[in-house]
C-alpha cells in the first residue's frame, strides 16, 4: 500500500477580526487568512456550519465586524501545499488610473485573479502589497472576474473601504462595461431585469442561472444595455460561421456574481470567449482567429470620493488585444 503524503498537523484555528478587516465578507476574509486552502474547501466548511462567528453559524456573505471571533475547524494541507502557501507573492504594480491617500484605482489585466484562492496562489491584492510595503492598508473594494480586465478599486484606509463598499452595496456607483456579444443585439432591448440564482457544481465551482420571480433564493438583478455598434469579424473569418457581433456598453445596477455574463447569455447573445456561459463552438473558432480571452472589460466607473465627497469618474480604455480584434476599433 502506498504511503499517504505527509501533512501538516491540523488544529482548530481562531481569528479575531481587526478594524481593518471590518465590513469584509466572511468568505473573502477567510481566503486571505487561510493561505493555501482552496476556495472550494472554504465554501464547503462555511456551508457545513463548521465555521463559527461569535459561536454561531454564518453564511459566506456575512459581513465580519471589528472584534468578531471566528472559529475554523482543522484543515489538513500537504507539506508541499503549506510551503507553497508560505511563499510571498511576487511584487507587481499595475497601470494606475487614480491614486491618493484614500484609494488606488488600477487597470487590471485579464488573466489575473483579484486575490488568491481556489487554486490560485496569489492575485492582484497580494502582489500590490508586496510592491507597496509602506502602505498601511490595501484592501479590495470590489471584485472582477479573473478573465475580466479594467477598473479595480483598492482602499488605502479603513474609512475609505467602508464608505466605498457602502456605495457599491447601496447602488450609488455607476459601473459600465464593454462587452462584445454574438449576434445582432435588438436596440430596443435596454433593460434586463431577471433574478439570478447561485449554485455549485459537484466540484464546488460557482455557477449562476436566471431563475423565476418565485424562487426564494433568487436575487433581483438589473442590467442596462446600450448598443455601441456592429462589429465585423476579422479578415479570414469563415463565411459559414457566425458573422454578426455587437459591441455593448453594459451598466449594472446590481452587482451579482457573473451578472453580465449570465444576463447576456440568457438573452441569446453570449459574450465572446466566455468559457462558462458562452457559445463553446464559437469560442474555439475565436481562439483560432486571435481572440484568446473573454471580451468583457470594466470600462467606466463613477463614485463619490470617500474623503472629499466629490464625484470621481474613471475610464480604462480597451486593451490592445480587444480593441484590435475584428472591427472593434471602428465603432469606438
Amino acid at each position: 500500500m502506498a504511503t499517504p503524503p505527509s501533512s501538516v498537523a491540523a488544529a482548530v484555528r481562531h481569528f479575531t477580526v481587526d478594524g481593518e478587516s471590518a465590513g469584509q465578507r466572511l468568505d473573502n476574509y477567510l481566503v486571505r487568512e487561510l493561505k493555501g486552502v482552496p476556495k472550494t474547501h472554504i465554501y464547503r466548511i462555511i456551508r457545513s456550519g463548521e465555521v463559527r462567528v461569535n459561536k454561531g453559524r454564518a453564511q459566506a456573505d456575512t459581513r465580519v465586524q471589528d472584534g468578531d471571533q471566528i472559529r475554523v475547524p482543522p484543515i489538513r494541507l500537504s507539506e508541499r501545499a503549506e510551503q507553497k502557501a508560505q511563499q510571498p507573492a511576487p511584487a507587481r504594480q499595475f497601470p494606475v488610473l487614480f491614486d491618493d491617500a484614500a484609494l488606488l484605482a488600477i487597470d487590471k489585466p485579464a488573466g489575473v485573479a483579484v486575490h488568491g484562492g481556489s487554486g490560485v496562489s496569489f492575485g492582484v491584492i497580494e502582489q500590490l502589497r508586496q510592491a507597496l510595503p509602506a502602505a498601511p492598508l490595501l484592501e479590495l473594494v470590489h471584485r472582477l472576474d479573473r478573465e475580466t480586465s479594467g477598473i479595480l478599486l483598492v482602499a488605502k484606509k479603513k474609512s475609505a473601504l467602508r464608505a466605498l463598499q457602502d456605495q457599491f452595496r447601496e447602488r450609488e456607483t455607476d459601473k459600465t462595461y464593454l462587452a462584445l456579444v454574438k449576434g445582432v443585439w435588438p436596440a430596443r432591448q435596454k433593460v434586463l431585469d431577471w433574478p439570478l440564482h447561485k449554485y455549485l457544481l459537484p466540484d464546488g465551482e460557482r455557477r449562476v442561472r436566471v431563475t423565476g420571480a418565485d424562487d426564494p433564493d433568487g436575487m433581483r438583478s438589473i442590467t442596462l444595455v446600450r448598443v455601441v455598434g456592429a462589429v465585423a469579424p476579422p479578415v479570414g473569418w469563415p463565411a459559414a460561421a457566425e458573422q454578426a457581433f455587437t459591441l455593448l456598453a453594459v451598466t449594472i445596477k446590481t452587482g451579482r456574481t457573473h451578472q453580465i455574463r449570465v444576463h447576456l447569455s440568457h438573452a441569446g447573445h453570449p459574450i465572446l470567449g466566455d468559457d462558462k456561459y458562452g457559445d463553446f463552438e464559437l469560442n474555439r473558432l475565436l481562439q483560432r482567429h486571435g481572440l484568446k480571452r473573454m471580451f468583457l472589460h470594466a470600462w467606466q466607473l463613477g463614485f463619490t470620493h470617500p474623503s472629499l465627497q466629490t464625484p470621481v469618474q474613471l475610464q480604462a480604455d480597451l486593451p490592445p488585444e480587444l480593441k484590435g480584434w475584428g472591427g472593434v476599433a471602428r465603432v469606438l
Side-chain angles (χ1 to χ4, degrees):
M1 179 180 296
T3 302
S6 59
S7 60
V8 175
V12 171
R13 281 184 268 187
H14 297 272
F15 299 93
T16 300
V17 178
D18 60 21
E20 294 182 355
S21 300
Q24 281 193 325
R25 287 170 52 116
L26 175 62
D27 54 353
N28 293 341
Y29 177 84
L30 291 180
V31 164
R32 180 181 177 184
E33 296 296 332
L34 301 176
K35 294 180 174 61
V37 178
K39 200 169 182 180
T40 52
H41 188 76
I42 291 174
Y43 279 110
R44 192 175 299 120
I45 60 175
I46 293 174
R47 288 197 311 274
S48 69
E50 295 175 271
V51 174
R52 296 298 179 111
V53 178
N54 300 327
K55 299 184 179 180
R57 295 179 66 137
Q59 304 299 317
D61 59 359
T62 297
R63 300 280 173 176
V64 299
Q65 302 301 324
D66 189 6
D68 279 354
Q69 301 295 313
I70 300 176
R71 177 195 181 276
V72 176
I75 299 174
R76 289 190 172 275
L77 286 179
S78 68
E79 289 183 356
R80 181 178 179 183
E82 184 74 14
Q83 290 168 0
K84 185 177 180 181
Q86 297 305 316
Q87 295 175 354
R92 180 178 178 182
Q93 298 208 38
F94 301 87
V96 174
L97 302 172
F98 185 94
D99 188 11
D100 71 1
L103 65 99
L104 171 68
I106 64 167
D107 187 356
K108 184 188 88 68
V112 183
V114 294
H115 57 63
S118 190
V120 179
S121 299
F122 55 84
V124 169
I125 194 63
E126 290 87 2
Q127 291 178 299
L128 279 177
R129 287 171 181 153
Q130 289 296 322
L132 304 171
L137 174 73
L138 290 172
E139 291 286 354
L140 291 168
V141 174
H142 61 115
R143 294 184 292 181
L144 293 176
D145 290 344
R146 184 174 182 177
E147 293 308 319
T148 302
S149 55
I151 303 170
L152 182 68
L153 292 187
V154 176
K156 291 183 174 182
K157 292 182 176 181
K158 179 175 61 176
S159 58
L161 177 65
R162 290 174 174 170
L164 289 167
Q165 288 184 333
D166 285 345
Q167 289 185 50
F168 276 85
R169 191 159 42 246
E170 299 301 321
R171 307 177 190 176
E172 295 171 349
T173 60
D174 290 316
K175 294 187 290 183
T176 300
Y177 294 70
L178 288 176
L180 186 61
V181 301
K182 174 184 175 182
V184 178
W185 185 272
R188 292 185 178 180
Q189 189 170 21
K190 298 180 179 181
V191 181
L192 308 181
D193 187 356
W194 298 318
L196 297 177
H197 178 105
K198 288 195 290 188
Y199 64 99
L200 294 175
L201 297 178
D203 64 359
E205 187 173 356
R206 284 186 302 174
R207 284 290 192 276
V208 181
R209 60 177 171 82
V210 170
T211 189
D214 57 347
D215 184 347
D217 295 319
M219 302 190 72
R220 189 178 186 191
S221 306
I222 302 171
T223 303
L224 308 181
V225 180
R226 175 175 62 85
V227 173
V228 178
V231 172
V235 175
W237 188 259
E242 173 70 49
Q243 296 290 316
F245 306 108
T246 309
L247 185 64
L248 303 175
V250 183
T251 300
I252 52 174
K253 307 308 289 184
T254 51
R256 311 301 183 200
T257 301
H258 298 169
Q259 176 176 324
I260 295 174
R261 301 166 69 175
V262 176
H263 269 179
L264 297 184
S265 181
H266 185 75
H269 300 275
I271 298 174
L272 303 192
D274 188 341
D275 64 355
K276 288 184 171 64
Y277 309 100
D279 182 326
F280 305 133
E281 184 176 346
L282 176 60
N283 286 349
R284 286 192 289 271
L285 184 58
L286 292 166
Q287 285 270 347
R288 294 199 296 270
H289 286 80
L291 187 59
K292 307 294 186 182
R293 51 160 291 199
M294 179 172 64
F295 201 119
L296 183 61
H297 177 72
W299 181 38
Q300 296 175 335
L301 176 61
F303 57 93
T304 300
H305 192 282
S307 305
L308 305 176
Q309 299 303 306
T310 53
V312 178
Q313 185 67 46
L314 303 177
Q315 178 169 311
D317 293 336
L318 276 178
E321 73 270 16
L322 298 186
K323 190 173 183 178
W325 192 86
V328 172
R330 290 194 292 273
V331 304
L332 285 173

